[in-house]
Amino acid sequence: MIKFTNVFKAFPKGGLALKDVSFHIAKGEFAFLTGHSGAGKSTVLKLIYADERPTSGEVRVSGHGITDMRPRDVPLLRRRLGIVFQDFRLLEDRTAEENVGFALEVTAARQSTIAARVMRVLTQVGLAAKAQAYPRELSGGEQQRVAIARALVNEPTVFLADEPTGNLDERATRGVFQLLRDINASGTAVVMATHDLDLVRQAPYRVIELQEGALVYDSAVDEPRDQAAAP
Amino acid sequence: MNLVVREAFRTFKRAPLLSALSVTTIAFSLFVLGLFGLVVVNLQDALRRVEERVEIVAYLLPGTPIEPVTIGLKDIEAFPEVQAATYVSEDQALARARAELVEFRDVLRELERNPLPASVEVKLKPGFRDTEHVSAVAERLLGFGFVDDVRFGRDWIEKLDRLRQLAGAVAIVVGVAFAVVAVIIIGTTIRMTVLQRSREIAIMRLVGATDGFIRRPFLLQGALKGLLGGTVAIALSFAAYAVVDRYLEIHATFFSYEQAAVIIGFGALIGLIGSATSVGRHLRRV
């Protein structure tokens, strides 16, 4: 599903964001991407959704090679991915429903099917009652749920989350995390970048840890280690 | 298409101040261009009126009978350059002189014999009222046996030629300069609109919008703003024209419908091109 082979990524002004990173995430897998800020978590995600290209090495996502992908194929790839961020990235002048529907409109989906699909995902994230609310009228947790609904509406095969709980309180964090687990349970691969180790310990999922751009630990290949010793 | 229109209008609704600002900027840039255009149009008009007075007078030999002149007149009117040729008899010439030269009324009244010759006055068609054509026609008139002498004010027509060339050159140079300034100002305003929505563009891309999908509402919106700005510019120009026409009492002309349509169309075109380049540059950069 997602395969990194000896990936290097140089910063534009010199220095390496990623150094020889290799891993493979299988279909339907849930993987945490951990590490300090600046360790390269976001870069890994950007390579997956083709916002960045590797300097060398190979990145493959759902059968597409990112390294030499043509710019006009990038939108098609993104429609098969669901992406959420720490800062939600909702359009402020649109209601929850319109924000979610927007992701369908860009794919030229038929107007008649949009409303039904939007309501289905909003129900799935528990926000059907707030479909008409604008982002500013919603709490942080609710805004992230709208973002998750938007990411889900195109029925992605891979779900990417970059610190999705970074701006949320404990209760909202639990709710959002449970949603991601549900999404994974329905067969979608989930890659979640986080530095919230409590969250990582709660679940028996794979952990890939980066340090200064290098992959230092991968629970799928390395010996299990004492989680308390992890950074 | 429906979606493109909706997205284009969303900007007007969401950022009314910035939208109004860009329409105003377009309007005033085109207004300045329009004012200059009005000056050019009126200058051309004035030149045309002066040109209408370009005339060749062929004086006839004394005692020429009317018959050969009547036949000659037909020939002259058949010249491709000639608009009209009129025969002025000796008596008509004297009557005209009496009416026009009031100072000499007494002298003219006491004449025993009419000293004025008969003549043929030749008017040329527009486009032939320059030195070259006037001289050519004058040359041909001299070929008629009954023509004694031909006058057409060579110096005056040469000056008119030069004035016409100068006015044309100035109109082009200044017009192009004004147009370039308008394009730059309008382009900058539209760029602000694009930058203001850069976050939105980033989100569109994230959910898989193609560049074409992102671009289309901007193009429509740019063209609409240009159209609106152009219309306002014409309205402002008309107001300025009305004031000048009324209080300065120079009988100025306003743009024809076609000219007004060209200015509005130019506005729409700048809006469209400005948007296309701003969005294009933005999309390539991010």
Side-chain angles (χ1 to χ4, degrees), chain A residues 49 75 78-79 83 85 87 89-94 98 102-103 105-107 111 150 154, chain B residues 2-3 6-7 10 14 197 199-211 213 286:
Chain A
Y49 65 86
R78 294 202 183 150
R79 290 174 197 178
I83 317 169
F85 296 90
D87 57 357
R89 303 201 187 169
L90 298 174
L91 297 168
E92 298 296 329
D93 63 328
R94 289 167 214 241
E98 286 169 339
F102 189 68
E105 282 172 348
V106 306
T107 66
Q111 288 289 332
R150 181 179 65 191
N154 276 316
Chain B
N2 186 14
L3 190 68
R6 206 189 65 205
E7 290 297 318
R10 191 182 277 275
R14 199 180 71 142
R197 296 186 60 191
R199 201 181 99 91
E200 199 173 335
I201 291 174
I203 294 172
M204 287 181 176
R205 282 194 142 176
L206 209 60
V207 297
T210 58
D211 285 358
F213 182 91
V286 292

Side-chain angles (χ1 to χ4, degrees), chain B residues 36-223:
Chain B
F36 177 70
L38 270 185
V39 170
V40 171
V41 164
N42 280 287
L43 211 64
Q44 269 179 346
D45 212 47
L47 270 174
R48 201 165 348 175
R49 254 172 293 169
V50 174
E51 274 180 6
E52 273 167 18
R53 285 159 54 185
V54 169
E55 193 180 58
I56 307 170
V57 183
Y59 294 104
L60 309 186
L61 289 165
T64 306
I66 187 77
E67 292 80 16
V69 178
T70 317
I71 297 165
L73 220 51
K74 287 239 162 60
D75 290 346
I76 294 168
E77 276 183 329
F79 288 0
E81 300 94 336
V82 171
Q83 190 173 51
T86 325
Y87 174 74
V88 181
S89 72
E90 290 146 350
D91 293 344
Q92 283 168 333
L94 185 63
R96 209 193 274 174
R98 281 191 175 132
E100 285 174 10
L101 305 172
V102 194
E103 307 88 322
F104 300 109
R105 194 184 296 149
D106 297 337
V107 183
L108 290 168
R109 193 180 301 143
E110 284 158 23
L111 287 171
E112 289 172 10
R113 190 174 70 80
N114 181 0
L116 299 174
S119 62
V120 172
E121 291 173 355
V122 179
K123 274 200 182 297
L124 299 185
K125 288 178 189 161
F128 293 110
R129 293 164 182 163
D130 53 55
T131 322
E132 195 188 329
H133 289 100
V134 171
S135 309
V137 173
E139 201 71 33
R140 256 177 285 159
L141 289 176
L142 274 173
F144 287 92
F146 51 78
V147 172
D148 181 23
D149 190 13
V150 175
R151 297 282 170 86
F152 59 86
R154 177 184 293 272
D155 285 359
W156 181 73
I157 294 177
E158 276 174 358
K159 270 185 201 136
L160 189 62
D161 271 3
R162 242 170 297 144
L163 190 64
R164 203 163 18 204
Q165 282 162 2
L166 188 71
V170 169
I172 289 171
V173 171
V174 180
V176 166
F178 274 139
V180 167
V181 170
V183 168
I184 291 171
I185 292 176
I186 293 167
T188 310
T189 318
I190 290 176
R191 211 164 145 55
M192 273 165 60
T193 322
V194 174
L195 288 177
Q196 190 223 18
R197 296 186 60 191
S198 58
R199 201 181 99 91
E200 199 173 335
I201 291 174
I203 294 172
M204 287 181 176
R205 282 194 142 176
L206 209 60
V207 297
T210 58
D211 285 358
F213 182 91
I214 296 171
R215 195 179 287 128
R216 280 191 290 272
F218 276 103
L219 297 190
L220 180 63
Q221 184 206 326

